[in-house]
Amino acid sequence: MDTIEQTLAVATEHHRAGRTTEAESLYREVLAASPGHPDALHLLGVIGLQSGRPAEAVDLIGRAVAGDPTSPLLHANLGHALHATGQTREAALSFARALTLLTNEGEGWGNVSALAGLIRRYDDETRRAAAAEVDAGYAMGDVMRRHSLLFLLDGDVAHYEALTNAVLEDPMRFTVPSIHYAFWGMAMQLFQGAARSGDAGAFQSGNLTDYYRLMVDETALRYHLRRRMKRATPRGEVRRVALITNQMLGAGHQPTADAFDFARRLQDEFGREVVIINPNAMAITGENGFVPEYSYNITEEYEGEQVIAAFGARVRMMSFPQKRFDEEKVNAIVDYVDGFDPDVIVAFGGSNVVADLFSGARPVVCLPTSSGLPLSMARLVLGYGETDTTQGWPVDMAERFRPFSFGWTLPPAGPERSRADFGIPEAGPLFLVVGNRLDQEAGPDFLALVDSLLDRLPEARIAVAGGVESLPQRIAALRNADRVHALGDVEDVRALHRHATAYLNPRRQGGGGSAAFALADGVPVVTVAAGDVATVAGPAFTVADDAAYLERAAALAGDPAVRDRQSAEARARFAAAGDRRASVERLLAYALEAQTA
């Protein structure tokens, strides 16, 4: 046995050094002495895979797995070999077995994440089969990890229903920070469109709404806030406004710019005393096994009370950068707000836990920063676009709804820049894709649509504006990769608008701000009828499906009359829907109504 292990060690050294011929010879020598040796079979199979002989690798590594079915590494490499032979379902099941073994061993997120990513590249049916394999073998008691992992694999909302049911049925099993962390994890995945099956809308208006309300109630109860908070009596006026955000991140973050803009207009144009409360209330520290692991950003320089400046204005802000949503942090926020004693609290954005903690003590108005159902316990819940409806909303929230338009303030336009200044050749139509989460939002379906458009328009180009990490690698795999330009963050996107044929919107929830700015500059928008961009752009710019999407984009590139007409409609749309001052004036009227609502 010692001789076998010594031979195997020498073979492994050759293998690591790239001397595969010598390694292969020694692995076979081990097998001659010990037929069925799992390590020798496995490593010989790895050489087969590395040498372009995947079928041989499947046979060898499969025999190794039969001899040692408890090794995650063997299952994972069998998955790679099966994938190389085109057996994708079997590959996914092997990756799932490896993932299950690692998870049951308490493995950290890194390797689990890599295996989950391998499974997620397959079609929905294969992903469901892999998730079922993991579910059948899962042996850990962490419901947060189990159900979030299964959702990550197959995107079935039923897994989040199981997670929320577990918390709703017995909330005392979970700490407040744990409930909070899982909520923001689910909210992020749903916002990014990760749901592949099940009724996500019904889940959000049902289980997730109940979960959110329980989270607010449990926070107030366990942190003893009802006794701590001061109850405000109706005052019949609005002089002091506390605008509570979920997070302020500084330059380049559109919700931060919008929060500042509402605050400075309330202060400078309408004479109110305003403070922005920046609680950093979205989860920053991992509190349970929920996957994918995540951490929302904070801006380190935003700490304590300070004055922030932008657009020639200065606004007071109080920030709480502590990284845990614990009792000490929440009590400090409550004490500060009570000390300011606002006449109204503006919950800037839905799922605003901190603002909703005050919902029983002070007038709260929810000002959503996105379309759709905003989870809120505020006295009044405003719309995002003028045509918003409450279809599918819980009855009590529908009763609190008030029509509204978010409005927009254009960023200043910089000097003229040529296409060459952006590294884009001058000739041909130019389509823009803009966003801060395009790694998640520009998925395989959208990239296939982009490729089809470029096939149809051989002179056209696509410019992708926004910080990305993984997207350029996926762009490189396109047939027309040489005509897709990933520009990264663009400081003055309006300079790019001057060269744009149209703004192309992926299927996503967000993107409303960038679409509004494109409309203001006369850039037509192409979008399906869902999400913030569709709400902002309106019916003149929405299409029914991918085929209509391609037709609209091609018409804008090929027919100057169509492009001119839609450009005029774009400017008119922004003029009608983009008046931020009018939005602030309406907000104050609703704030007064909330005093007695």
Side-chain angles (χ1 to χ4, degrees):
M1 179 60 69
D2 289 343
T3 301
I4 289 175
E5 297 308 319
Q6 290 169 0
T7 302
L8 189 63
V10 174
T12 303
E13 289 179 11
H14 282 305
H15 196 165
R16 288 178 181 147
R19 296 186 292 272
T20 54
T21 301
E22 292 87 341
E24 181 172 350
S25 175
L26 291 173
Y27 290 145
R28 294 190 185 281
E29 184 177 318
V30 170
L31 289 172
S34 177
H37 192 291
D39 289 339
L41 284 168
H42 167 234
L43 293 169
L44 191 57
V46 170
I47 287 180
L49 184 60
Q50 293 169 337
S51 303
R53 307 191 304 271
E56 178 184 328
V58 169
D59 174 64
L60 290 165
I61 303 175
R63 288 159 57 194
V65 167
D68 182 9
T70 64
S71 168
L73 179 61
L74 268 59
H75 284 287
N77 280 338
L78 179 57
H80 288 299
L82 288 163
H83 179 83
T85 63
Q87 301 177 74
T88 54
R89 179 184 174 87
E90 291 77 9
L93 293 175
S94 284
F95 292 135
R97 292 178 190 115
L99 189 156
T100 304
L101 289 166
L102 284 175
T103 301
N104 290 344
E105 292 171 2
E107 178 72 20
W109 172 234
N111 288 331
V112 173
S113 172
L115 287 165
L118 293 172
I119 293 168
R120 282 160 55 88
R121 61 185 164 167
Y122 297 126
D123 61 74
D124 287 344
E125 183 179 351
T126 300
R127 289 174 61 175
R128 284 192 293 272
E133 182 75 21
V134 172
D135 196 25
Y138 196 92
M140 303 292 284
D142 185 348
V143 299
M144 297 291 192
R145 168 61 67 92
R146 180 178 199 145
H147 297 303
S148 61
L149 176 59
L150 295 174
F151 177 87
L152 182 66
L153 293 177
D154 69 8
D156 189 344
V157 174
H159 302 308
Y160 280 173
E161 290 174 349
L163 188 158
T164 52
N165 281 335
V167 177
L168 291 167
E169 289 167 5
D170 188 6
M172 293 308 295
R173 287 177 58 193
F174 309 93
T175 66
V176 167
S178 178
I179 295 171
H180 181 256
Y181 185 73
F183 171 79
W184 284 112
M186 290 186 288
M188 176 191 290
Q189 290 297 304
L190 293 170
F191 185 85
Q192 293 176 352
R196 309 282 297 186
S197 61
D199 191 336
F203 171 69
Q204 289 176 287
S205 63
N207 267 41
L208 193 62
T209 295
D210 293 342
Y211 183 102
Y212 177 79
R213 291 173 177 175
L214 177 136
M215 177 172 65
V216 174
D217 289 343
E218 289 294 315
T219 302
L221 177 66
R222 298 192 211 179
Y223 292 174
H224 313 292
L225 300 181
R226 300 297 184 233
R227 295 198 304 267
R228 192 180 194 94
M229 284 181 176
K230 299 176 183 177
R231 296 186 66 86
T233 56
R235 297 167 183 176
E237 61 180 349
V238 177
R239 293 181 294 108
R240 289 189 300 278
V241 179
L243 190 150
I244 301 181
T245 70
N246 275 315
Q247 59 178 175
M248 294 282 283
L249 294 181
H253 183 239
Q254 188 60 46
T256 293
D258 289 324
F260 181 89
D261 189 50
F262 270 95
R264 66 102 180 170
R265 286 179 182 271
L266 285 165
Q267 172 186 278
D268 297 342
E269 297 177 9
F270 292 90
R272 271 50 176 193
E273 183 181 356
V274 181
V275 62
I276 297 173
I277 308 296
N278 175 29
N280 290 296
M282 300 163 91
I284 300 166
T285 302
E287 299 288 352
N288 54 45
F290 188 96
V291 295
E293 291 182 356
Y294 69 93
S295 173
Y296 283 90
N297 296 327
I298 63 171
T299 300
E300 298 290 348
E301 57 264 33
Y302 289 168
E303 182 172 4
E305 193 166 44
Q306 61 193 132
V307 174
I308 56 173
F311 308 122
R314 296 165 60 83
V315 176
R316 176 181 168 195
M317 181 172 74
M318 181 66 180
S319 296
F320 298 86
Q322 299 92 331
K323 294 186 177 182
R324 294 199 72 217
F325 192 74
D326 58 16
E327 186 171 2
E328 180 181 3
K329 174 173 180 168
V330 174
N331 281 342
I333 296 169
V334 167
D335 290 348
Y336 183 87
V337 172
D338 279 345
F340 179 64
D341 193 23
D343 299 312
V344 69
I345 290 172
V346 174
F348 194 78
S351 305
N352 196 318
V353 182
V354 170
D356 282 335
L357 290 170
F358 290 92
S359 60
R362 294 181 180 274
V364 179
V365 178
C366 176
L367 174 57
T369 58
S370 183
S371 59
L373 173 67
L375 301 184
S376 177
M377 299 171 70
R379 293 186 188 178
L380 298 181
V381 179
L382 308 187
Y384 177 73
E386 202 64 51
T387 59
D388 282 356
T389 71
T390 57
Q391 183 176 358
W393 287 29
V395 173
D396 70 302
M397 285 195 65
E399 292 172 347
R400 293 181 275 132
F401 173 80
R402 298 293 184 273
F404 191 70
S405 180
F406 190 69
W408 304 96
T409 296
L410 278 171
E416 293 275 350
R417 297 179 64 185
S418 68
R419 283 169 55 148
D421 290 333
F422 293 100
I424 303 169
E426 295 290 344
L430 179 64
F431 296 96
L432 300 186
V433 181
V434 183
N436 291 322
R437 290 181 291 268
L438 292 174
D439 280 333
Q440 295 78 33
E441 295 168 340
D445 293 343
F446 180 70
L447 292 182
L449 195 64
V450 163
D451 233 0
S452 296
L453 179 62
L454 295 176
D455 286 341
R456 184 166 176 172
L457 302 173
E459 301 300 319
R461 294 181 178 273
I462 308 284
V464 179
V468 291
E469 295 180 2
S470 63
L471 183 58
Q473 296 175 340
R474 290 184 283 124
I475 289 173
L478 299 180
R479 295 184 301 276
N480 300 288
D482 60 326
R483 290 188 283 135
V484 182
H485 305 268
L487 306 181
D489 288 316
V490 174
E491 185 175 348
D492 181 12
V493 74
R494 296 188 66 192
L496 200 54
H497 289 166
R498 299 187 184 105
H499 305 286
T501 302
Y503 171 111
L504 302 182
N505 185 47
R507 291 178 184 265
R508 58 179 170 177
Q509 178 61 35
S514 61
F517 301 152
L519 293 170
D521 288 332
V523 180
V525 168
V526 184
T527 182
V528 296
D532 295 355
V533 171
T535 299
V536 170
F541 297 97
T542 60
V543 297
D545 52 30
D546 286 353
Y549 194 108
L550 290 175
E551 289 297 326
R552 177 68 61 83
L556 289 166
D559 189 333
V562 172
R563 172 62 170 72
D564 290 346
R565 183 181 70 250
Q566 284 243 299
S567 180
E569 290 174 338
R571 295 182 192 277
R573 175 66 181 179
F574 183 83
D579 188 346
R580 176 62 62 77
R581 179 182 170 85
S583 298
V584 175
E585 191 169 16
R586 290 177 77 186
L587 172 62
L588 281 171
Y590 286 133
L592 191 60
E593 180 187 348
Q595 289 278 355
T596 55

